[in-house]
Amino acid sequence: VTYGWDGMGADYEAARYVGSPAGSRFEVRWGGRAMPFQSRLAGRFQVENCLAALALLLSMGKDPELLRAGLETFDPVCGRMEQFSLPAGGTAIVDYAHNPDGLRKVLETCRALCEGRLHVVFGCGGDRDLCRPGKREGLDPKLQALPDVSATLARHVCIYCKAASPSSQSSRACVARRV
């Protein structure tokens, strides 16, 4: 079973994606059929995850109408593009992206959904995370400098770096490796 975006030649394809802070609308095409879906999950990467699950379940013969109803009522997972309204206006989004690809996808989604200035806050998990010697060095050079990824995706971006849980590293050492 293969899945992907429209035009990729996959067995199950997502098309007509429309994203908003409230979620995503998209169409799933398979076997000459097309069916609209909507989800409270925001972002293209979330649609890709939904499509993976839908492709598997549809290939097993599950009822598409039941799958659509289930997806429409599925609550977002805590800490995964979780949205909070701020008292002074605006929205805060919490996502526990734990690698450069995950962070890139979250930033792309936030940039697409954000009107105006985008502020980014990320934690630095000490020697359990990207600050661990050897882990960061093996990453794609374009993604090693996470603030550069942020600046590329957002016209206006402020990076706040906080050593959330530095483990055995000093907070200063962990933050210094990030900026």
Side-chain angles (χ1 to χ4, degrees):
V1 175
T2 59
Y3 65 93
W5 290 99
D6 185 35
M8 294 180 68
D11 300 326
Y12 297 85
E13 293 187 336
R16 305 176 79 139
Y17 166 76
V18 177
S20 76
S24 303
R25 290 192 328 260
F26 58 99
E27 183 176 82
V28 176
R29 298 175 181 169
W30 76 101
R33 295 183 67 178
M35 178 178 254
F37 284 84
Q38 73 179 46
S39 168
R40 290 187 273 185
L41 304 175
R44 288 179 66 90
F45 74 96
Q46 301 272 44
V47 170
E48 290 169 3
N49 293 336
C50 291
L51 183 61
L54 290 169
L56 176 65
L57 293 168
L58 289 167
S59 74
M60 295 170 63
K62 301 299 179 187
D63 182 351
E65 291 295 337
L66 288 176
L67 297 176
R68 177 169 40 195
L71 187 58
E72 287 178 2
T73 60
F74 180 77
D75 288 326
V77 176
C78 293
R80 197 70 183 138
M81 293 297 292
E82 188 175 6
Q83 299 182 34
F84 299 91
S85 295
L86 301 175
T91 302
I93 296 176
V94 173
D95 191 280
Y96 295 108
H98 60 280
N99 60 45
D101 183 58
L103 181 58
R104 179 183 55 79
K105 288 178 179 177
V106 167
L107 290 172
E108 287 173 346
T109 298
C110 289
R111 179 68 268 157
L113 299 176
C114 177
E115 294 177 9
R117 193 170 184 123
L118 173 64
H119 296 266
V120 178
V121 179
F122 65 90
C124 189
D127 55 7
R128 296 173 307 189
D129 195 28
L130 293 176
C131 292
R132 184 173 22 163
K135 186 170 184 184
R136 191 174 164 103
E137 289 78 5
L139 300 174
D140 179 332
K142 292 178 184 173
L143 296 177
Q144 283 187 23
L146 296 180
D148 291 345
V149 173
S150 305
T152 301
L153 297 172
R155 285 173 287 190
H156 306 287
V157 66
C158 298
I159 303 293
Y160 301 93
C161 190
K162 176 181 184 265
S165 177
S167 282
S168 64
Q169 283 189 318
S170 75
S171 294
R172 286 187 183 271
C174 191
V175 171
R177 291 188 66 140
R178 289 289 186 146
V179 292

